Amino acid sequence: DGQAVARVEQTQDGTVVAEVPYDPAAGDYIGLLAGREPSLVLSVGDTIEIVTWSAGVERRQVDGDFGLQTGLYPTLDPDVVLVDAGGGASVINLASAGVEHEFQYVASVRQQLQFVGGRAHIANIVSVAPSGGLSDVPATIQLVDPVSGDMLVESDPIEIHPVQLTGAYPALLARGGDLAVMYLPAADGSGPPAPMAAMVLDASTGESWTIDAPADAPYGWWFIPSSDGRWIRATPLLGPSSEDSSETYFMEARPNAEWIAGGPPLNVVLGTYGMRDTGAVEPAPLEAQGTPSPVAG
């Protein structure tokens, strides 16, 4: 009959607890198990349904215009799910089956996932707010709590269009999502494949600041925060030439810090995934190997 079925089974014994028919011609299927009450969030085409089965299978459609959906992501609240619309995002509440917040421009959501105890979630999200004028320029970069909708920290206005900011490069989060590094493209679209600057937003201090590349590089630089959010690593994007430098630099994640050339500081875990700091354990002080030299910005 042209229909497909989304089936929910118990992992222990394979018992089927819910079967949900849907029309595959309506669009791609995306499913996410979430909710304090066990639920399946089902996205097909431009519609989203919430399916529960604790008292018989019940289907509720979320009221909203979602357009093309590219992903469903859990947040720190089991009843709140972030909908990735490929450049924008919406936040839905499973209890009310309603839209809580909407973001017109967001950096790649997939790149902003944080992992705690083997589970992935969106802790905070990097959004770009347009000026509201005809050109949407200038714009500001914001770090937002998707559950409450609260803006945690906002950058100064930037003379770059929101589409350029969110479409050119990803944003990388650390320290459980409280520190974000947002790559900055050139305003005129010129420059190397990788960026030469980035914006850093720190929700714990409410500060934002820009960092520039430590040196010239023909293909640009990647700026990667350590998982605890204390350091930022800069490494050049290497091109086909064997003459490209593979030197790496480190900088403390604070305003007005200087790049350190040479080996990485001790005990640094590189990557963008980290646990939210509970304050229970103070990480050991980090030291630099050798005798690093500050690099002029």
Side-chain angles (χ1 to χ4, degrees):
D1 58 4
Q3 283 196 326
V5 174
R7 179 178 293 121
V8 181
E9 301 177 357
Q10 292 184 346
T11 56
Q12 293 91 339
D13 56 14
T15 300
V16 177
V17 296
E19 288 188 335
V20 185
Y22 69 93
D23 182 5
D28 293 335
Y29 157 89
I30 305 173
L32 175 69
L33 294 173
R36 290 180 173 83
E37 177 186 2
S39 306
L40 170 66
V41 185
L42 179 65
S43 164
V44 180
D46 60 357
T47 64
I48 295 179
E49 284 187 291
I50 300 170
V51 182
T52 56
W53 51 87
S54 58
V57 176
E58 179 185 2
R59 303 174 65 170
R60 294 175 296 153
Q61 185 166 323
V62 180
D63 185 18
D65 182 12
F66 298 101
L68 176 63
Q69 302 149 45
T70 59
L72 300 171
Y73 297 93
T75 67
L76 291 173
D77 186 326
D79 280 340
V80 177
V81 171
L82 188 138
V83 181
D84 183 1
S90 300
V91 177
I92 61 175
N93 187 295
L94 304 191
S96 64
V99 176
E100 297 283 312
H101 317 290
E102 293 183 298
F103 304 99
Q104 185 176 2
Y105 300 103
V106 296
S108 171
V109 175
R110 186 187 303 270
Q111 297 279 355
Q112 301 187 55
L113 281 169
Q114 300 289 289
F115 289 83
V116 176
R119 295 179 178 271
H121 64 265
I122 297 295
N124 296 319
I125 189 168
V126 175
S127 172
V128 175
S131 64
L134 293 177
S135 65
D136 283 343
V137 176
T140 59
I141 301 172
Q142 302 175 344
L143 189 59
V144 182
D145 180 340
V147 176
S148 66
D150 293 339
M151 182 181 66
L152 307 176
V153 59
E154 183 178 32
S155 75
D156 291 332
I158 301 174
E159 295 293 330
I160 304 176
H161 195 278
V163 172
Q164 286 179 271
L165 285 168
T166 58
Y169 308 113
L172 303 180
L173 275 67
R175 203 198 302 140
D178 287 340
L179 184 114
V181 176
M182 177 75 169
Y183 294 153
L184 299 179
D188 62 0
S190 64
M196 294 295 289
M199 177 69 69
V200 184
L201 301 102
D202 191 337
S204 66
T205 64
E207 295 177 295
S208 66
W209 65 95
T210 57
I211 55 175
D212 294 317
D216 290 334
Y219 298 98
W221 292 80
W222 297 125
F223 304 98
I224 304 173
S226 61
S227 61
D228 60 7
R230 292 187 172 192
W231 295 88
I232 298 173
R233 180 185 70 173
T235 185
L237 174 65
L238 301 183
S241 171
S242 60
E243 298 178 357
D244 288 330
S245 170
S246 59
E247 179 108 56
T248 296
Y249 296 81
F250 282 82
M251 170 189 286
E252 289 185 80
R254 60 174 176 80
N256 303 314
E258 295 182 317
W259 289 111
I260 298 173
L266 296 175
N267 304 326
V268 170
V269 178
L270 297 174
T272 61
Y273 310 126
M275 293 184 65
R276 186 177 290 272
D277 185 10
T278 62
V281 178
E282 177 65 20
L286 300 180
E287 301 176 359
Q289 293 180 343
T291 308
S293 303
V295 176

